[in-house]
Amino acid sequence: MSAKGFDVCVSGSGAVAMSLALALSAEGWHVAWSRAPESNKPQQADVRTYALNARAIALLERLRVWPALKAFASPVYEMAIQGDAGGAMTFSAWQQKVAELTWIVDAAALERLLNDALRFAPRVEVVPPLSEQGVPPVKASLLAICEGKHSGTRAALGVEFSRKEYGHWGVATRLKATRPHNGVARQWFRSPDILALLPFNQPDPEASYGLVWSVPQDRARHLQSLTPEDFAVELNDAIRQSDAAAADLVGELTVEAPIAAWPLALAQADRWTGAGWVLLGDAAHQVHPLAGQGLNLGLADVDTLLEVLREAKLKEPWRQAGDERILSRYVRRRQWPTQAMSGLTDGLLHLFADERAPLKDVRNLGMSLVERLGPVKQWLVGRAFDA
């Protein structure tokens, strides 16, 4: 800690909070990491997987976390997307002239490695959680709120968090297949649900998947009530009904982990900054997981905040980290790409949730048309994967 106190107090315990604290420390800032004490109670296995884009991986490389995380990650070389009436698109790494489109990583491994790295960060001190009124336990120029979608500090600051419930839940687990995935991610828009298989390297290095299945709430509860064997039967049937050819390529799937589920929503804070505070990650915005961009948006928030703080330190050294002019630059750089991704995922979800026949024909025709328009398809995949 500096003689004048901390530069930044980071509140939160997830990947966005830890990445920010670690990155700020590497830039020479004195950081207070405000988090709840670690629990000794047994935790349910974390079955989440993240699809990390190029910008997110570049940040983790600078934090020296990526080399270790690669042992818990699998590259995606191709993505095959199927509509519900013949529409189809395929994205590939070679078309984008990159080594891979994205990497699928183990969520628990990412958080564990970030936590381990923070133990050795020279300018980070763990401090108690903020008060119920959102008051930090230490003095700092900037309070960075990375507390997730249920942020209590955001509410204490009077920030409105407009939330639109989709009535859908995300269902996730880990799967093992009888055939290798070959680095191909698959997604089916099935109206009203969306099913995605993400190639992964656990438990079988060549034939495992992370499942993300967006289904109506009642369907999610039904799926959670099933035994692993019965769940696998319904999953395999759903894939065969959607795309028999792909089902043959995937093979039979078995469930290898607990089945988790959570409600899905679109949400946006009405303010991202104020005098001496800033929101990042899910505390500022929440999107549907169909494009796998939730954590990427949060890590882009971290990267952008670092950029504006670094620039101000060089050009306006008299300004403190919590200066509202600095924070307004962060908002200007992040709001448009975040809103664009929110609009894209929300629009796609509603487009494919509508079961009226005319709209079904139009959306599948549009998907096939994009497949044939090379520049348009390349632009879309570039925005999604930051390639």
Side-chain angles (χ1 to χ4, degrees):
M1 185 176 71
S2 67
K4 295 182 180 180
F6 294 95
D7 297 306
V8 184
C9 177
V10 177
S11 179
S13 56
V16 172
M18 289 190 283
S19 297
L20 179 61
L22 195 58
L24 288 168
S25 171
E27 294 278 345
W29 302 93
H30 293 88
V31 181
W33 180 23
S34 178
R35 62 167 188 176
E38 294 183 0
S39 173
N40 293 323
K41 295 180 180 179
Q43 301 292 318
Q44 184 176 1
D46 190 344
V47 298
R48 295 173 301 156
T49 50
Y50 294 130
L52 295 185
N53 64 19
R55 183 175 185 179
I57 290 170
L59 173 63
L60 295 175
E61 284 180 332
R62 295 201 305 272
L63 300 181
R64 301 182 181 181
V65 170
W66 179 243
L69 185 59
K70 284 185 74 172
F72 305 93
S74 185
V76 175
Y77 302 117
E78 183 177 319
M79 175 169 281
I81 302 174
Q82 192 80 24
D84 55 353
M89 288 190 297
T90 302
F91 301 117
S92 67
W94 72 266
Q95 288 175 332
Q96 291 297 118
K97 299 179 176 61
V98 294
E100 57 277 320
L101 288 173
T102 185
W103 285 79
I104 307 302
V105 305
D106 182 276
L110 171 61
E111 294 187 358
R112 183 177 66 252
L113 290 168
L114 286 169
N115 189 65
D116 290 346
L118 279 166
R119 297 179 190 276
F120 302 97
R123 285 171 286 273
V124 177
E125 183 177 326
V126 177
V127 300
L130 276 60
S131 72
E132 291 184 2
Q133 292 74 38
V135 178
V138 295
K139 289 184 178 181
S141 171
L142 174 62
L143 171 61
I145 303 161
C146 314
E147 299 171 349
K149 58 190 175 183
H150 300 301
S151 171
T153 305
R154 181 189 61 217
L157 288 167
V159 177
E160 293 291 330
F161 194 59
S162 58
R163 182 179 170 90
K164 181 174 72 174
E165 300 286 348
Y166 283 124
H168 278 217
W169 283 41
V171 177
T173 190
R174 301 284 175 81
L175 307 167
K176 186 176 177 181
T178 55
R179 297 192 178 181
H181 55 62
N182 296 318
V184 179
R186 302 184 185 276
Q187 187 172 44
W188 294 272
F189 287 84
R190 290 168 25 89
S191 181
D193 60 301
I194 302 168
L195 195 164
L197 296 181
L198 307 176
F200 199 52
N201 65 351
Q202 297 175 41
D204 186 319
E206 301 296 332
S208 299
Y209 290 96
L211 171 71
V212 182
W213 196 355
S214 170
V215 297
Q217 180 176 326
D218 291 343
R219 173 78 166 145
R221 288 174 173 165
H222 164 71
L223 290 171
Q224 268 202 301
S225 72
L226 299 176
T227 64
E229 293 76 16
D230 289 340
F231 183 97
V233 169
E234 295 211 15
L235 174 62
N236 284 302
D237 284 347
I239 295 173
R240 277 191 291 268
Q241 291 166 11
S242 303
D243 188 350
D248 290 338
L249 294 173
V250 171
E252 287 293 310
L253 297 166
T254 56
V255 177
E256 301 293 326
I259 299 164
W262 64 93
L264 302 177
L266 177 71
Q268 186 85 235
D270 68 339
R271 290 180 293 142
W272 289 18
T273 65
W277 61 266
V278 62
L279 299 176
L280 298 93
D282 284 356
H285 44 73
Q286 187 182 354
V287 299
H288 192 281
L290 67 86
Q293 294 301 305
L295 181 59
N296 287 325
L297 291 173
L299 293 180
D301 290 348
V302 170
D303 205 23
T304 302
L305 183 60
L306 286 169
E307 286 176 358
V308 298
L309 289 174
R310 186 187 305 119
E311 290 168 5
K313 198 173 187 179
L314 289 172
K315 299 176 182 178
E316 304 164 286
W318 62 89
R319 296 194 190 279
Q320 293 188 321
D323 189 295
E324 287 190 77
R325 290 194 180 187
I326 296 176
L327 300 179
S328 66
R329 296 167 194 162
Y330 158 77
V331 174
R332 285 197 297 271
R333 295 184 193 182
R334 288 303 301 148
Q335 272 194 328
W336 186 87
T338 302
Q339 290 172 354
M341 184 57 67
S342 297
L344 175 63
T345 57
D346 187 57
L348 283 172
L349 178 68
H350 285 95
L351 182 63
F352 278 90
D354 196 315
E355 299 187 59
R356 290 175 291 180
L359 192 58
K360 179 180 289 190
D361 293 339
V362 169
R363 68 195 179 210
N364 282 274
L365 178 62
M367 183 179 284
S368 298
L369 182 62
V370 169
E371 173 66 16
R372 292 194 294 269
L373 295 175
V376 174
K377 189 171 79 166
Q378 190 170 6
W379 182 86
L380 282 172
V381 75
R383 300 293 72 70
F385 297 116
D386 197 26

